[in-house]
Amino acid sequence: MLALGVKPKGKIQLRETATVLLYHRGRRLFIMGTGGLAGLLYHASLFGTTAAVRQMLEQGESYREMTAKPS
C-alpha cells in the first residue's frame, strides 16, 4: 500500500486484520493465504487473517483465484 501512496495512520491495534489481493497481469485476481507478502503480514505480532482467509488456510489453500459471478 505504501507503494501506492497510502500512508498508515496511527498504530496497528490488537486483532486488526489484513487481506492480500494480487492482481496478476491485469487479468486474474487472487486472494493470498501464505505466499510472499501475505506470509509476512499474517504473523502473530502483525495482522491477523479475516475469517474467509482463515477458512481458506484451514482447508490447505495457500491462495485462491477470484472469479466474477455471471450476471
Side-chain angles (χ1 to χ4, degrees):
M1 296 303 289
L2 293 174
L4 298 174
V6 176
K7 295 188 174 39
K9 293 184 179 180
K11 295 181 180 180
I12 298 171
Q13 302 298 315
L14 290 176
R15 293 185 284 283
E16 285 198 57
T17 61
T19 303
V20 176
L21 301 173
L22 174 68
Y23 193 47
H24 184 262
R25 299 184 185 212
R27 303 186 76 119
R28 301 166 70 190
L29 180 65
F30 295 89
I31 184 167
M32 301 303 293
T34 56
L37 176 64
L40 294 172
L41 285 177
Y42 304 151
H43 187 275
S45 62
L46 292 175
F47 290 98
T49 59
T50 61
V53 173
R54 195 167 31 257
Q55 180 182 23
M56 188 179 84
L57 294 174
E58 289 170 357
Q59 294 173 357
E61 295 180 76
S62 57
Y63 64 91
R64 182 181 293 171
E65 184 171 3
M66 305 303 290
T67 57
K69 292 182 179 182
S71 52

